[in-house]
Amino acid sequence: MTTSFGAATTSAALKDSKLQIPTFHGLRSAAVSSLTRNVLPLPSSSRSLFVTRAVSTPVQSETTTVKRSKVEIFKEQSNFIRYPLNEDMLTDAPNISEAATQLIKFHGSYQQYNREERGSRSYSFMIRTKNPCGKVSNQLYLTMDDLADQFGIGTLRLTTRQTFQLHGVLKKDLKTVMGTIIRNMGSTLGACGDLNRNVLAPAAPLVRKDYLLAQQTAENIAALLSPQSGFYYDIWVDGEKILSSEPPEVVQARNDNSHGTNFPDSPEPIYGTQFLPRKFKIAVTVPTDNSVDILTNDIGVVVVTDEAGEPQGYNIYVGGGMGRTHRVETTFPRLAEPLGYVPKEDILYAVKAIVVTQRENGRRDDRKYSRMKYLISSWGIEKFRSVVEQYYGKKFEPFRVLPEWEFKSYLGWHEQGDGKLFYGLHVDNGRIGGKMKKTLREVIEKYNLNVRITPNQNIILTDVRASWKRPITTTLAQAGLLQPRFVDPLNITAMACPAFPLCPLAITEAERGIPNILKRIRAVFDKVGLRYSESVVVRITGCPNGCARPYMAELGLVGDGPNSYQIWLGGNNKQTSLARSFMDKVKLHDLENVLEPLFYYWKQRRQSKESFGDFTNRMGFDRLKEHVEKWEGPVVAPSRHNLKLFTDKETYDAMDGLAKLQNKSAHQLAMEIIRNYVAANQNGKGE
């Protein structure tokens, strides 16, 4: 096999692309071998045939040196993500250095400080677990619950990538917390940083071949792309070997170097010294189930079955991603697009080939453009597919036809298919605390339940016996964890990122602001005459990075200044349409001035069963803006009913107490009663 340390330029391809940005090219072999796949580790005598294609040193031409970001230098000098974090952890300082702050992300943690405090900074750390498919054992859940009280801020947060986040951990407690998680069937390795993040899959514990395969595939991909150099265990458990078994097909796929994907003799055969240019996200699902927002991921994998329901292979999407920068048009959210189909036995090799293509060609000079979506946008899907096929060693088969996607929340009671039940619980913004946290722990501990975290920040109790259904429902409802029919439909699909006070990137509120914003939206619904059962998908983030995936929402609010949001419209309730920017810098107190005319216009002009997102796309933004600018309020028709509203305090208190049991405001419940009264009279049922 011939060897070259040069890199082929892609300038010709870039001239034809819409995005005229330079790309970083790692060092790699000039040709890709077409050898038959070797699924076993190569003997040492054979390793000399393959070139170590390192990206730890940038390509140098005769006249220029390719620029690298500061983070790339930190990674190169870190001894595989150890130094200087290992030394910083031994000091008495409450914080760590700039380099260590970047490295600790690979270990699953972010350094934070309370941005609302004035004077000296109070540093703490957020710890994020890694839970493929959102699976959480009974032992791990109870451990995380304890850690939140002992070392955190007393709450657990369920994330949009099916993991826990533990906030407020002090540096002096990091090793204790990390070690405890590791020794209780958990991990935080790779939950953050420039590598594959947590792999999503439908959280529903359905005993069906396609769901079981999707979940197993997610776990296998997570294992395949997990770091191998031991840095995580060296720092947090002093190098203790944590026993874990991997399926042989995972080990074989990782070690295979038939097509020049690996760094031979490297502690990190797939990642090398530099890991990936930026974070990398993967989701696996089954046809119709878009609980995972499949099109927002770098790689989306879909199980394909035959008519008998027997899994045959996988469709693969590539190039999704949410992050962007305000008013920098060369940054953008992007939907993944079809790459092709692979047979069932090839999925790990195909995924590895895609990851290696991004590793070798993704930009390492400017982190704003380092995600794989920008590589595909500049190359085009045909060139990208061609390069991936060289690392894969095969041609992709044509993408199989899929049915229409649906969003599935899996809230409420469902049969698993094995005689047991599962119970999906809605958790506002994924934040578990207070009485809810205490009661949830009691139930999980009493019935020895395993749980699953959903990509919509909710939680599922699994393997529930039928005889436990009533006592569990009653106990949880008393703590505010209500059955879905008692939850406002707006809340069911709403999501927000944590934002203030701890996220260093937040521009304005998200998690703390969304409860009041949703109540204001509901009040606007009532004012313009929309039914209580109607809803729109609302997602709010404190900055344009898009952690709660607002660019897929029917109504996305993205932090755009103090108490200001950029408004995005045009996503849909199936999460298959990309929203577009509608207005910039809308002040929080002015939201009704924009939303009221939009919702009234939707009610008056929509087609049969047309969703708000589809309506905004059909009408066009110019027309919508004109309607907002000319808005003078809804036309109020004279009342045809003589309703007596009792406003004495005793009646109000009774109404308020009943409303709280249904997770509503007294106003919402009163409006519902009035609507029911009016409907009854219209149907001739009134007195």
Side-chain angles (χ1 to χ4, degrees):
M1 180 176 180
T2 58
T3 305
S4 170
F5 285 93
T9 181
T10 60
S11 59
L14 287 172
K15 288 179 181 177
D16 296 329
S17 69
K18 294 181 181 178
L19 187 61
Q20 296 292 323
I21 54 177
T23 58
F24 171 85
H25 302 285
L27 300 174
R28 56 191 166 204
S29 56
V32 177
S33 170
S34 60
L35 297 172
T36 302
R37 173 168 292 142
N38 179 357
V39 296
L40 296 174
L42 294 172
S44 57
S45 60
S46 301
R47 287 181 178 152
S48 61
L49 295 173
F50 297 95
V51 175
T52 301
R53 296 168 297 101
V55 293
S56 59
T57 304
V59 174
Q60 294 184 355
S61 69
E62 295 179 359
T63 57
T64 61
T65 300
V66 175
K67 179 185 175 183
R68 289 188 297 163
S69 69
K70 186 184 293 186
V71 176
E72 291 298 314
I73 307 298
F74 290 154
K75 288 187 288 186
E76 180 184 48
Q77 298 174 350
S78 70
N79 185 23
F80 293 98
I81 319 300
R82 292 178 174 86
Y83 174 82
L85 178 61
N86 52 355
E87 294 187 356
D88 284 12
M89 288 304 301
L90 300 177
T91 71
D92 293 330
N95 62 316
I96 55 179
S97 64
E98 181 184 6
T101 299
Q102 294 297 328
L103 299 182
I104 201 170
K105 296 176 184 179
F106 292 76
H107 297 255
S109 180
Y110 281 84
Q111 179 172 271
Q112 300 179 329
Y113 62 92
N114 190 334
R115 296 175 60 189
E116 295 178 337
E117 289 184 356
R118 296 296 176 258
S120 60
R121 291 181 175 180
S122 299
Y123 288 97
S124 66
F125 291 79
M126 179 270 282
I127 294 175
R128 182 184 296 154
T129 59
K130 201 167 184 184
N131 310 86
C133 322
K135 290 184 179 180
V136 180
S137 69
N138 178 271
Q139 179 181 342
L140 180 59
Y141 185 90
L142 299 179
T143 296
M144 296 302 298
D145 184 83
D146 288 337
L147 291 174
D149 291 338
Q150 295 172 21
F151 300 103
I153 60 174
T155 66
L156 281 173
R157 194 167 199 277
L158 314 178
T159 78
T160 59
R161 291 204 71 80
Q162 297 184 276
T163 65
F164 287 117
Q165 281 186 180
L166 190 62
H167 291 95
V169 179
L170 300 180
K171 177 189 163 188
K172 66 182 180 64
D173 297 322
L174 270 176
K175 190 167 184 178
T176 298
V177 174
M178 291 287 207
T180 302
I181 292 172
I182 292 169
R183 294 185 178 97
N184 285 275
M185 304 174 66
S187 177
T188 66
L189 173 60
C192 324
D194 298 343
L195 72 176
N196 179 54
R197 302 289 185 88
N198 195 53
V199 182
L200 303 188
L206 297 171
V207 183
R208 262 176 46 180
K209 289 181 179 179
D210 53 352
Y211 274 85
L212 293 174
L213 180 61
Q215 291 156 3
Q216 182 61 57
T217 301
E219 291 176 317
N220 285 351
I221 291 173
L224 171 74
L225 299 176
S226 181
Q228 300 296 300
S229 55
F231 62 81
Y232 178 66
Y233 301 101
D234 284 350
I235 290 181
W236 306 115
V237 289
D238 299 323
E240 177 184 342
K241 300 296 182 183
I242 306 299
L243 296 178
S244 62
S245 60
E246 293 182 323
E249 60 268 29
V250 172
V251 178
Q252 290 171 353
R254 182 189 299 122
N255 291 336
D256 173 60
N257 197 28
S258 299
H259 302 287
T261 55
N262 288 18
F263 295 96
D265 298 320
S266 171
E268 292 291 352
I270 295 178
Y271 290 127
T273 60
Q274 297 304 107
F275 287 76
L276 297 179
R278 198 73 197 277
K279 59 187 175 184
F280 200 89
K281 297 181 177 181
I282 301 175
V284 186
T285 191
V286 303
T288 75
D289 189 337
N290 200 19
S291 60
V292 299
D293 267 3
I294 191 74
L295 300 180
T296 66
N297 290 269
D298 292 273
I299 301 177
V301 178
V302 186
V303 174
V304 176
T305 61
D306 61 18
E307 294 180 356
E310 195 67 37
Q312 301 296 307
Y314 304 87
N315 275 345
I316 299 177
Y317 292 96
V318 290
M322 293 286 96
R324 51 177 286 278
T325 302
H326 280 320
R327 286 165 283 282
V328 178
E329 297 304 316
T330 50
T331 68
F332 43 81
R334 188 181 192 275
L335 295 185
E337 58 186 304
L339 181 70
Y341 170 90
V342 298
K344 190 164 59 173
E345 62 274 11
D346 279 0
I347 187 60
L348 296 180
Y349 299 94
V351 167
K352 182 181 175 184
I354 297 167
V355 170
V356 169
T357 300
Q358 162 66 354
R359 180 194 76 195
E360 293 294 286
N361 298 282
R363 286 184 61 168
R364 294 179 182 267
D365 62 324
D366 188 337
R367 291 176 67 81
K368 287 198 303 291
Y369 303 108
S370 293
R371 291 290 297 275
M372 193 173 75
K373 64 181 177 181
Y374 295 115
L375 177 65
I376 296 176
S377 182
S378 63
W379 276 7
I381 191 64
E382 295 302 327
K383 175 175 178 177
F384 183 82
R385 182 185 293 114
S386 176
V387 174
V388 172
E389 286 174 342
Q390 294 176 55
Y391 290 119
Y392 174 37
K394 294 181 180 180
K395 292 284 188 182
F396 286 100
E397 296 180 34
F399 199 80
R400 302 300 196 256
V401 176
L402 293 173
E404 195 170 348
W405 291 107
E406 300 173 11
F407 168 72
K408 299 188 178 183
S409 70
Y410 293 110
L411 295 178
W413 287 102
H414 304 269
E415 294 184 359
Q416 293 182 174
D418 58 359
K420 294 183 178 180
L421 307 173
F422 69 89
Y423 190 27
L425 290 160
H426 173 74
V427 180
D428 278 337
N429 307 309
R431 183 70 68 178
I432 299 176
K435 185 178 180 181
M436 177 195 302
K437 178 174 173 292
K438 180 181 178 182
T439 305
L440 194 55
R441 184 210 170 90
E442 289 173 355
V443 168
I444 290 170
E445 191 169 28
K446 177 179 179 179
Y447 296 100
N448 194 31
L449 301 177
N450 297 321
V451 307
R452 306 229 179 144
I453 302 169
T454 80
N456 218 50
Q457 300 177 289
N458 296 320
I459 194 166
I460 292 175
L461 308 181
T462 71
D463 303 313
V464 180
R465 296 181 186 176
S467 60
W468 300 344
K469 178 179 177 180
R470 177 170 290 183
I472 287 177
T473 303
T474 302
T475 300
L476 293 175
Q478 291 171 348
L481 285 158
L482 304 174
Q483 295 187 61
R485 69 176 183 271
F486 297 127
V487 180
D488 189 319
L490 285 169
N491 293 60
I492 292 290
T493 56
M495 292 200 296
C497 70
F500 283 131
L502 295 176
C503 178
L505 302 176
I507 304 172
T508 191
E509 298 284 2
E511 180 186 342
R512 295 192 308 191
I514 194 173
N516 186 54
I517 289 174
L518 291 176
K519 288 178 182 177
R520 290 167 63 184
I521 292 174
R522 176 55 66 191
V524 172
F525 268 39
D526 290 339
K527 184 175 181 179
V528 303
L530 289 164
R531 295 188 304 274
Y532 180 78
S533 60
E534 296 188 270
S535 183
V536 297
V537 177
V538 180
R539 294 178 176 179
I540 304 178
T541 59
C543 83
N545 277 6
C547 292
R549 304 190 286 273
Y551 310 117
M552 301 296 288
E554 293 183 279
L555 172 61
L557 303 181
V558 181
D560 195 16
N563 294 313
S564 296
Y565 295 93
Q566 192 176 71
I567 295 180
W568 287 65
L569 303 175
N572 61 37
N573 53 16
K574 300 170 185 175
Q575 276 77 69
T576 58
S577 176
L578 196 64
R580 292 176 291 135
S581 176
F582 179 66
M583 284 187 175
D584 290 348
K585 292 189 176 298
V586 176
K587 287 294 184 181
L588 179 62
H589 62 263
D590 288 332
L591 282 179
E592 282 84 354
N593 295 337
V594 178
L595 300 184
E596 189 175 299
L598 289 176
F599 291 144
Y600 183 75
Y601 200 32
W602 173 43
K603 179 180 182 295
Q604 297 297 319
R605 300 293 183 88
R606 62 185 169 182
Q607 297 174 351
S608 177
K609 297 182 180 180
E610 185 176 33
S611 70
F612 179 68
D614 290 343
F615 170 80
T616 58
N617 286 327
R618 180 173 62 83
M619 298 306 296
F621 283 12
D622 289 342
R623 198 169 173 184
L624 294 176
K625 287 178 181 177
E626 182 181 354
H627 192 68
V628 170
E629 290 168 359
K630 294 181 178 179
W631 179 247
E632 295 181 354
V635 177
V636 181
S639 174
R640 294 178 296 156
H641 304 280
N642 182 22
L643 302 178
K644 293 182 179 180
L645 299 180
F646 296 93
T647 56
D648 60 278
K649 187 176 187 303
E650 183 179 350
T651 302
Y652 174 81
D653 288 343
M655 181 76 74
D656 188 51
L658 182 60
K660 287 179 179 177
L661 288 176
Q662 300 183 28
N663 198 29
K664 300 174 184 175
S665 68
H667 172 75
Q668 290 170 344
L669 183 59
M671 291 301 298
E672 189 174 335
I673 292 171
I674 292 170
R675 280 193 293 266
N676 290 340
Y677 175 86
V678 171
N681 276 274
Q682 288 174 337
N683 293 328
K685 298 178 182 178
E687 294 180 359

